[in-house]
Amino acid sequence: MTNTIDLNADLGESYGPFKKGNDEQIIPLISSANIACGFHAGDYLVMDQAIQLCREHGTGIGAHPAYQDIMGFGRRHMVYSYDEIEALMTYQIGALHAFCVRHGVTLNHVKPHGALYNDAAKDKQLSEAIVNAIHAIDPKLKVMGLSGSLLTQVAENKGMTAIHEVFADRNYNDDGTLVSRTLDNALIENTERAIEHVLQMVTEGTVTTVTGNKIPLKADSICVHGDGAHALQFVEQINSALKKEGVFVKTI
C-alpha cells in the first residue's frame, strides 16, 4: 500500500459555445488534469483557460490527445498509419505544450483519450507510435495508460516513466480491460460503490471484476471522468475517503 496517489480527471472538453464538464471546481481538487487538445474536444481558448487554472492550483498538466473525431468524442475506433499516429500525437502535444510555455508551467505527462487509449492498451504497433512520438518531443514526459497495458509496457521498455492508471467510475473485465461503454454495466454511478472500488485498488492492489473475480493491478493514478454526471461528487468524496485511510493525493 502506498501513502500517496495521483488523482486525475479528463478536462478541457468544452469548445466554442458548448460547455462540458466542470473544470473550475474539479481542478482545485485533483493532482493531475488531462487537457483535451482539440481533436475530440476542447479548443484553443479552452486549452488556454485550463492551463491557467492548473497553474493557479498547482495541478499537474497532461496532454490528452485523441483520434480526430470530434463528432464521436474520440470514442470511435479509427485506422491510421504508423506515421499518421506519430504526427497526430506530435500536433496535439505540441499545441498544449505551447500553452504551457505561454503560462510558464511544465507539461508532466501524456494520456491518450478514448478509443486511442483503449486501442493502444492492446496494440503494440500503435503503442510504439504513440510512445515514440512522445519520446521525440521530450523523453522526460510520463506516459499514462491503462494499468498493466501494452502502452505502459512499451513506455517502460523505452526507458520512460509509465503511470499505471485505474478508474474510479469504470468496471473491469477479467483480463484487466475496461468494460465497453456500449454495455449497461460499463460505468459506476453510485458514489459509495465508486469509493469502495477505489479503496480496494489503492489499498489492496486488486480490483473485483464484473464476474466477481479479484485480479491484481498496479494503481499509480486514479481517473475520474470530468464529464461524468457525478464527477465533482466523486472527486470530493474519494479525496475524503483516501485521507481517512492515510493516503494523500499528490501529482506523480
Side-chain angles (χ1 to χ4, degrees), residues 136-147:
I137 293 167
D138 184 353
K140 296 189 292 297
L141 283 170
K142 303 176 183 75
V143 180
M144 185 179 288
L146 183 66
S147 181

Side-chain angles (χ1 to χ4, degrees), residues 74-152:
R75 288 179 175 158
R76 297 182 292 190
H77 171 73
M78 296 181 141
V79 178
Y80 287 81
S81 70
Y82 187 99
D83 289 344
E84 284 177 315
I85 290 294
E86 282 197 325
L88 176 112
M89 294 293 294
T90 303
Y91 187 96
Q92 293 178 80
I93 296 167
L96 196 75
H97 177 258
F99 286 109
C100 289
V101 172
R102 168 182 163 90
H103 292 289
V105 293
T106 302
L107 186 63
N108 180 65
H109 67 275
V110 178
K111 173 189 169 181
H113 165 81
L116 180 60
Y117 180 98
N118 291 325
D119 290 347
K122 55 186 183 292
D123 184 325
K124 187 175 181 182
Q125 186 177 41
L126 178 60
S127 292
E128 287 175 345
I130 290 169
V131 169
N132 286 340
I134 299 168
H135 187 274
I137 293 167
D138 184 353
K140 296 189 292 297
L141 283 170
K142 303 176 183 75
V143 180
M144 185 179 288
L146 183 66
S147 181
S149 66
L150 275 175
L151 180 61
T152 57

Side-chain angles (χ1 to χ4, degrees), residues 79-250:
V79 178
Y80 287 81
S81 70
Y82 187 99
D83 289 344
E84 284 177 315
I85 290 294
E86 282 197 325
L88 176 112
M89 294 293 294
T90 303
Y91 187 96
Q92 293 178 80
I93 296 167
L96 196 75
H97 177 258
F99 286 109
C100 289
V101 172
R102 168 182 163 90
H103 292 289
V105 293
T106 302
L107 186 63
N108 180 65
H109 67 275
V110 178
K111 173 189 169 181
H113 165 81
L116 180 60
Y117 180 98
N118 291 325
D119 290 347
K122 55 186 183 292
D123 184 325
K124 187 175 181 182
Q125 186 177 41
L126 178 60
S127 292
E128 287 175 345
I130 290 169
V131 169
N132 286 340
I134 299 168
H135 187 274
I137 293 167
D138 184 353
K140 296 189 292 297
L141 283 170
K142 303 176 183 75
V143 180
M144 185 179 288
L146 183 66
S147 181
S149 66
L150 275 175
L151 180 61
T152 57
Q153 292 173 31
V154 168
E156 289 169 343
N157 290 342
K158 188 79 171 177
M160 301 177 75
T161 299
I163 301 173
H164 291 258
E165 183 182 36
V166 299
F167 289 79
D169 49 6
R170 294 293 300 275
N171 278 312
Y172 282 77
N173 296 309
D174 287 340
D175 63 357
T177 59
L178 301 175
V179 173
S180 170
R181 284 182 176 269
T182 61
L183 301 176
D184 291 339
N185 61 346
L187 300 177
I188 299 172
E189 298 185 291
N190 178 278
T191 304
E192 290 183 5
R193 170 71 187 104
I195 290 169
E196 291 173 3
H197 182 66
V198 165
L199 291 179
Q200 179 184 341
M201 292 188 291
V202 173
T203 63
E204 295 183 17
T206 66
V207 66
T208 300
T209 70
V210 286
T211 63
N213 289 323
K214 252 188 195 185
I215 60 170
L217 86 175
K218 184 177 182 183
D220 294 328
S221 185
I222 305 161
C223 177
V224 175
H225 286 100
D227 64 325
H230 306 287
L232 183 59
Q233 184 181 17
F234 276 6
V235 169
E236 290 172 339
Q237 295 194 25
I238 287 168
N239 245 316
S240 177
L242 288 169
K243 285 179 184 177
K244 287 179 183 177
E245 293 292 326
V247 179
F248 298 91
V249 171
K250 181 181 179 182

